């Protein structure tokens, strides 16, 4: 399954992507995480992206497409992926379409996470990431729980600098103007676009998401079923083709029946003509 998650910062797409990653055994590919890794490693790209990210701006399309091209070429992405935070511009969406066409692996769905902006502020201001295991929690909705990395009994939560209110508002504005409007418009004509109500408890959103993706009530659809769904249009096409052939044969049979009837009639006419002629030529026997 190849999916794009689109949503404002804090709409919960990262959390849901982590859940689907486990259920479908496909990687969550977060371009924000990739950039943060570059930043932490102090790579030239990380140094370049640092200020842009801190101000809530976007890293240039060429760089982002190169990152995605490289990431999608890795073995774990061959079975599918969830793109989280990419594409963010129409140029990125076009580049992705081209890249996936080259790979022969088109997208299955683009999911737009729909959430009220006030809710977003609440979510984002409470968002914390464990600096060791990288799990995302929320002090308002989903307090830290579960295991950290081996050897650590507790998570160590930190707030991302770009989750601070002023930066967040700029990111929200930019998302609306440069991402939601143009990119959803780009995908609108593809038939891939789905919207999920991303408000409410995390479990509820997961249920809605799975339903939206056609995976049923919280359970992962069996691969067989998903394949069958993918095969459905091909099956319908085959049925149509068979029906066309049957119609043609029926027409041909009808035609040949009419032809046979006409021929029989002609033969009968000819025979009776011949009989009549023979009768005329044969002199009547004298009694
Ligand atoms: P995220 O974690 O997805 O909210 O991304 C954090 C920051 O990384 C964004 O505010 C951007 O500065 C940068 N970034 C992530 N993904 C992209 C992208 N697809 N295009 C441009 N910039 C990005």
């Amino acid at each position: 399954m190849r999916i794009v998650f689109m949503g404002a910062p804090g709409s919960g797409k990262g959390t849901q992507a982590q859940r689907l990653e486990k259920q479908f055994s496909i990687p969550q590919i977060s371009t924000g995480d990739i950039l943060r890794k570059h930043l932490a490693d102090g790579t030239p790209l990380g140094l370049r992206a640092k200020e842009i990210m801190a101000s809530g701006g976007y890293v240039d399309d060429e760089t982002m497409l190169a990152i995605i091209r490289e990431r999608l070429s890795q073995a774990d992405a061959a079975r599918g992926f969830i793109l989280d935070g990419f594409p963010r511009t129409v140029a990125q969406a076009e580049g992705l379409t081209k890249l996936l066409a080259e790979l022969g692996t088109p997208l299955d769905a683009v999911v737009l996470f729909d959430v009220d902006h006030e809710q977003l502020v609440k979510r984002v201001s409470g968002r914390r990431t464990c600096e060791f295991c990288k799990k995302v929690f929320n002090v308002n909705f989903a307090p830290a729980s579960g295991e950290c990395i081996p050897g650590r009994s507790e998570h160590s939560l930190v707030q991302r600098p770009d989750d601070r209110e002023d930066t967040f508002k700029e990111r929200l504005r930019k998302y609306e103007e440069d991402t939601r409007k143009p990119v959803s418009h780009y995908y609108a004509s593809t038939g891939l676009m789905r919207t999920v109500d991303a408000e409410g408890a995390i479990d509820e959103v997961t249920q809605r998401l799975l339903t939206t993706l056609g995976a049923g009530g919280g359970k992962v659809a069996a691969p067989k079923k998903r394949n069958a769904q993918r095969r459905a249009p091909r099956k319908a096409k085959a049925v149509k083709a068979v029906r066309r052939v049957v119609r043609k044969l029926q027409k041909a049979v009808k035609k040949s029946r009419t032809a046979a009837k006409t021929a029989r009639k002609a033969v009968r006419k000819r025979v009776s003509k011949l009989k009549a002629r023979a009768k005329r030529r044969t002199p009547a026997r004298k009694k």
Side-chain angles (χ1 to χ4, degrees), residues 173-185:
R173 188 200 62 76
K174 199 161 174 58
Y175 166 75
E176 271 298 306
E177 292 308 311
D178 297 351
T179 302
R180 197 191 61 77
K181 286 181 194 164
V183 178
S184 54
H185 184 256

Side-chain angles (χ1 to χ4, degrees), residues 9 13 30-33 35-36 52-53 56-59 64 84-88 92 160 162 171:
K13 59 188 190 318
S30 155
T31 42
D33 283 350
L35 289 170
R36 278 185 286 280
I52 301 170
M53 289 172 77
Y58 284 176
V59 174
M64 295 315 300
D84 165 11
F86 183 96
R88 262 175 153 101
Q92 290 180 16
R160 277 165 41 176
D162 55 355
R171 291 171 67 202

Side-chain angles (χ1 to χ4, degrees), residues 60-72 86:
D60 66 281
D61 294 331
E62 209 181 313
T63 304
M64 295 315 300
L65 276 162
I67 288 176
I68 283 296
R69 179 178 280 274
E70 196 276 324
R71 182 62 186 87
L72 293 188
F86 183 96

